[in-house]
Amino acid sequence: GLYAVIGTDFVQSVIILIGVVTVGVVVLGRIDFAEFNRSLQVDQPALLQIFMPVALLSLFNNMFFGFGEVFHNNVWWSRAFAMRDGVPHRAFFLSGLFWLPIPVAAGFIGLCAGPLGVAVPDPDMVGPLVASRVLGATGAILVFVVLFCSLASSIDSLLAATSDLLLEDVYRKMFRPGADERTLRVASRVVIVLLGMLTWLLCWGNFGDLLQVLFLSGPLVGSTVWPIVAGLYWKRTSGPVALVAMLSGSAIGLWAYFQIGWFAASLISTAVSMLAVVVGTALSASDYEWAGLDESRVS
């Protein structure tokens, strides 16, 4: 299953990389940079301000969201544990290097919507509308394929990691610690089918568009950064401290999402979580015992 998910993710990532960079290059060829700059100065001068407050908040908000996504997501941990010695550092470095053109090209495409005269009714439509303007129907199809691949890549990884989590940490450890391989295989099939059915049921709910769902999960993700980092490197950071930090960060981050805006939610969540971790660790009276995670000592 891990081989299948990683293989499909690789193919989908290549398609995403080619699609987004292709649209960015085509847009680059259609733009007169002198006219492009004049258009921004007249219509959207705030976009040319390096220290635009909302832009800086968005930058750090998305940065902490990305950190939290890597730290808390079982997709990343399961793959890291499955790699041979010496592979993880090179794999993550190269994947980040190859993915670098994506935010650059996507940001450039979004910035060109105004100068190209594209009316954007919703932020989710920037990429498809710009692509269809410069490439016609071919561009629209290309962006559809890219979006489908990005969604499929994320969803299949999350479903695989979640099913593995439920099977190993819930079913086997909590209910059937003595289960043999055959029993676990049957249970894994049941878990996958039930998880898939639950996913379909959730798709019927009205949770807003994809962008809203993504930013709404930001505080939940950002609140995990400091508890996990501190739990790995500070002996006195206990489980209850990490739990309180995640809950308080998530709660206040969600409040910030609705009361302030999406561009501050993950940032505030991470800051509150950090404060809770630092204070809780300073007040902790005992060290965390890593031996409690040694499964070989569990009867």
Side-chain angles (χ1 to χ4, degrees), residues 163-180:
S163 62
D164 178 63
L165 182 70
L166 292 174
L167 180 67
E168 289 293 326
D169 293 341
V170 177
Y171 176 76
R172 186 174 70 84
K173 291 184 179 178
M174 298 179 64
F175 298 104
R176 296 291 300 275
D180 56 19

Side-chain angles (χ1 to χ4, degrees), residues 100-257:
L100 182 61
I102 294 296
V104 176
F108 177 72
I109 291 170
L111 198 62
C112 291
L116 288 173
V118 177
V120 181
D122 190 274
D124 286 349
M125 297 299 296
V126 175
L129 290 175
V130 172
S132 61
R133 172 62 63 87
V134 299
L135 292 175
T138 302
I141 295 173
L142 181 62
V143 171
F144 171 77
V145 172
V146 168
L147 291 176
F148 176 81
C149 288
S150 64
L151 288 174
S153 175
S154 299
I155 292 173
D156 66 0
S157 300
L158 288 171
L159 290 178
T162 304
S163 62
D164 178 63
L165 182 70
L166 292 174
L167 180 67
E168 289 293 326
D169 293 341
V170 177
Y171 176 76
R172 186 174 70 84
K173 291 184 179 178
M174 298 179 64
F175 298 104
R176 296 291 300 275
D180 56 19
E181 289 295 324
R182 182 178 180 278
T183 303
L184 289 176
R185 281 198 298 271
V186 174
S188 68
R189 294 166 184 165
V190 174
V191 168
I192 291 172
V193 171
L194 292 178
L195 191 60
M197 294 173 63
L198 176 62
T199 304
W200 278 106
L201 291 174
L202 289 175
C203 290
W204 287 347
N206 183 16
F207 299 101
D209 57 32
L210 183 61
L211 196 63
Q212 289 176 320
V213 173
L214 181 67
F215 287 134
L216 185 61
S217 66
L220 310 179
V221 173
S223 66
T224 65
V225 175
W226 276 94
I228 293 177
V229 173
L232 290 172
Y233 292 101
W234 290 356
K235 290 183 178 180
R236 297 180 66 181
T237 301
S238 61
V241 169
L243 179 61
V244 170
M246 292 180 189
L247 292 177
S248 60
S250 298
I252 298 179
L254 287 173
W255 173 86
Y257 175 87

